[in-house]
Amino acid sequence: MMPNIGQLVAAHHKTGAYIAEVVEIAGSKALLKTLGVTKHPTQGDLHNPNQADVVLFHQRRALAYLEKVWVPLQAIEVYEGSIPDYQATLREALEKEIAHWTQALPSRFAERCLIELENLKTDYFPKG
């Protein structure tokens, strides 16, 4: 898809998904400005998926409001909705990720994910 500058798009970046505005296009990538979160990034070491006992179990934050990121054109599609409230989308995406790992089969990986996600929740929403 070849988007236009100023167009709203849905984009996948690493293990998260976002609603964003196209700021710039260069070659096969678009510079996007983050406006909402539709899927919170997966926690842990991406090189060792679903493994809890790794050298560094990464805490993966969602892109911040208005944070800019280069994304390959093949990872974006047209977004038809209105511009969402960033905080509301972040909260909803985080709650979905927490619910997923809460309902998952008990494992050390799920436990580690929940620890990181709860820490992020406290960081993102310090007043609750």
Side-chain angles (χ1 to χ4, degrees):
M1 165 200 166
M2 181 55 85
N4 298 314
I5 293 175
Q7 185 173 24
L8 293 181
V9 295
H12 293 277
H13 177 66
K14 298 188 179 177
T15 62
Y18 304 90
I19 298 165
E21 178 184 339
V22 178
V23 176
E24 185 179 332
I25 299 169
S28 63
K29 293 186 177 186
L31 181 62
L32 306 180
K33 178 170 58 175
T34 306
L35 301 174
V37 182
T38 56
K39 185 199 176 297
H40 196 277
T42 303
Q43 303 303 297
D45 183 346
L46 299 182
H47 300 291
N48 296 291
N50 300 319
Q51 299 297 313
D53 300 317
V54 293
V55 175
L56 180 59
F57 192 92
H58 299 272
Q59 181 186 75
R60 300 197 179 278
R61 299 179 64 84
L63 295 175
Y65 179 62
L66 303 180
E67 182 174 350
K68 293 179 182 156
V69 62
W70 287 100
V71 176
L73 292 175
Q74 67 262 26
I76 63 177
E77 56 190 50
V78 174
Y79 175 74
E80 298 290 343
S82 59
I83 298 174
D85 175 74
Y86 174 83
Q87 287 295 101
T89 63
L90 175 62
R91 185 179 297 275
E92 184 178 334
L94 180 65
E95 291 298 335
K96 281 182 185 175
E97 193 72 5
I98 290 170
H100 169 77
W101 291 111
T102 300
Q103 296 168 4
L105 292 174
S107 69
R108 181 74 180 122
F109 183 76
E111 290 172 22
R112 296 282 308 268
C113 286
L114 286 169
I115 289 167
E116 295 305 330
L117 292 166
E118 290 295 339
N119 288 337
L120 284 169
K121 185 176 184 178
T122 302
D123 189 36
Y124 291 154
F125 310 106
K127 296 178 183 175

